[in-house]
Amino acid sequence: MSPARRSAQSGAVLTPSGLGKELAAGQLRPAYLLAGPEPLYRDDALAGIRAAVLDGGPSEFNETRLDGARTNAGELSEAAQELPVFAERRLVILREPEARRARAQQITDALVEVLAALREQQATTLVVLAARADKRSRWVKAFAAPAARVDCEAPRRSRDIAAFATEEARRREIRLGPGAAEALAEIAGPQLLLLRQELEKAALLAGEGEEVSREHVLEGASGLAEEPIWDLTDAIGEGRGADALAILRRMLAGGAAPPMLLGALASHFRKLTRTSYGAAPRGSPWSMRKLESQANRYHPQRLQSNLAAIHTVDEVLKGQGALTPTLALERLVLNLSS
């Protein structure tokens, strides 16, 4: 039986790995809420669901993407009622349903009605992505079985981060030697995008098909220029675009690896995003005041757009698009600073 015809009925809360196991087993739910601050988990989960739903069918007819900042309740309801064309199932994606406060209640109320209508059908799968979703909210609770909420929180404990590194290496068919996963966890911490980049860099240093050692990981991470990364993030966060661009160019000239720089920017803007929502990471009073000051420069929606822009540059660094890594980073830094 194809993934589009099988559905999972138990468990309303999944981990990203649990979702992956369901999809691999051909289980597909009518709706998913991908909720949490880790964009790597959200994006990977969406990619897996999308592949299962469309199953090689024509995406131009069977995929609708909606942005909570621009859509309305009527558009959401209409999209959920459309029938697939030359395929078994269609996909509706809604990002940040509460992005626009003036319309948030209307959209989330419509979302509850849409979820109720989707429970007993197999023609449409709805995926909602939200960096922040209050589990007490009516619309979040509506993702009960057979729908599901996928918790997209990055691991915090070192052993859990190392476990993620091990699983990521296995998925990419990269062999890790003793201590390599732990070294990746030490370097990247809960920054999963940075960890993935450091894993890829270490694999290149080791050579195709060769085992990645702890030494390969440390060698790959040693390329960051000596100029403190916070000089760059402070210039960006304070809106000093010209200074930020000059610092970036000095760091690149000094041997800083673009993936390392991008990972640092991703980490900083995740901190700013959490701070804007009142959930700032712990730190000294001085560092907290600095984060709050920088976060106040951006509307929460702009912070989400900045994280999306960082993700786009990550794709460039992986070889997609026509821009060079240097030009992509320069444009990103100017955009983040504005």
Side-chain angles (χ1 to χ4, degrees), residues 66-78 80 92-116 126-130 137-140 142-143 301:
L66 303 172
D67 188 329
R70 291 185 290 272
T71 195
N72 58 50
E75 290 171 335
L76 172 60
S77 299
E78 182 180 345
V92 177
I93 303 168
L94 172 63
R95 290 184 180 271
E96 301 298 339
E98 296 182 303
R100 189 169 180 179
R101 295 180 183 178
R103 292 183 180 179
Q105 189 66 51
Q106 295 177 3
I107 293 176
T108 54
D109 285 347
L111 189 53
V112 173
E113 296 178 4
V114 166
L115 285 165
L126 170 69
V127 180
V128 177
L129 298 95
S137 299
R138 177 169 170 257
W139 72 271
V140 175
F143 283 87
Q301 183 180 336

Side-chain angles (χ1 to χ4, degrees), residues 28-269:
L28 192 60
R29 297 173 182 264
Y32 298 89
L33 170 58
L34 312 181
E38 180 48 63
L40 185 147
Y41 276 154
R42 295 198 306 269
D43 291 347
D44 282 359
L46 175 60
I49 296 168
R50 184 177 185 274
V53 172
L54 298 180
D55 196 23
S59 61
E60 60 269 23
F61 299 120
N62 297 307
E63 180 177 359
T64 300
R65 293 176 176 260
L66 303 172
D67 188 329
R70 291 185 290 272
T71 195
N72 58 50
E75 290 171 335
L76 172 60
S77 299
E78 182 180 345
Q81 294 173 24
E82 292 182 20
L83 295 176
V85 178
F86 304 122
E88 294 187 44
R89 207 170 182 101
R90 69 186 310 273
L91 179 67
V92 177
I93 303 168
L94 172 63
R95 290 184 180 271
E96 301 298 339
E98 296 182 303
R100 189 169 180 179
R101 295 180 183 178
R103 292 183 180 179
Q105 189 66 51
Q106 295 177 3
I107 293 176
T108 54
D109 285 347
L111 189 53
V112 173
E113 296 178 4
V114 166
L115 285 165
L118 291 178
R119 293 175 69 89
E120 303 301 329
Q121 56 78 59
Q122 294 186 347
T124 297
T125 293
L126 170 69
V127 180
V128 177
L129 298 95
R132 182 180 176 87
D134 189 340
K135 297 175 184 178
R136 300 168 296 179
S137 299
R138 177 169 170 257
W139 72 271
V140 175
K141 291 180 179 179
F143 283 87
R149 184 181 82 241
V150 181
D151 281 339
C152 298
E153 293 274 354
R156 295 292 170 185
R157 297 183 300 180
S158 295
R159 66 180 182 182
D160 294 333
I161 299 170
F164 172 85
T166 300
E167 176 59 24
E168 185 73 5
R170 184 200 63 76
R171 192 170 66 84
R172 293 169 176 266
E173 298 183 346
I174 297 173
R175 293 187 297 119
L176 294 182
E182 289 74 14
L184 286 165
E186 291 170 8
I187 290 166
Q191 303 172 54
L192 302 189
L193 175 61
L194 176 59
L195 189 149
R196 177 178 284 181
Q197 292 166 346
E198 289 304 307
L199 173 62
E200 293 172 348
K201 193 193 310 180
L204 287 174
L205 288 171
E208 185 175 356
E210 297 298 321
E211 183 179 86
V212 172
S213 67
R214 178 180 176 86
E215 287 69 30
H216 288 132
V217 174
L218 297 177
E219 180 183 353
S222 67
L224 190 61
E226 293 183 358
E227 185 157 2
I229 190 66
W230 57 79
D231 285 352
L232 176 61
T233 56
D234 283 353
I236 292 173
E238 294 166 9
R240 296 183 283 113
D243 290 343
L245 187 59
I247 293 169
L248 172 69
R249 287 172 173 170
R250 286 200 301 271
M251 298 185 81
L252 289 171
M260 177 72 82
L261 293 173
L262 187 65
L265 295 180
S267 174
H268 187 67
F269 273 87

Side-chain angles (χ1 to χ4, degrees), residues 67 69 96 99-100 236-237 239 269-270 272-273 276-277 294-310 331-338:
D67 188 329
E96 301 298 339
R100 189 169 180 179
I236 292 173
F269 273 87
R270 288 189 193 115
L272 293 181
T273 301
S276 73
Y277 284 108
Q294 293 182 20
N296 287 336
R297 286 192 61 246
Y298 302 93
H299 187 279
Q301 183 180 336
R302 173 67 192 284
L303 288 169
Q304 294 297 328
S305 298
N306 286 342
L307 286 172
I310 290 170
R331 289 186 177 183
L332 175 66
V333 163
L334 289 175
N335 179 41
L336 298 179
S337 304
S338 63

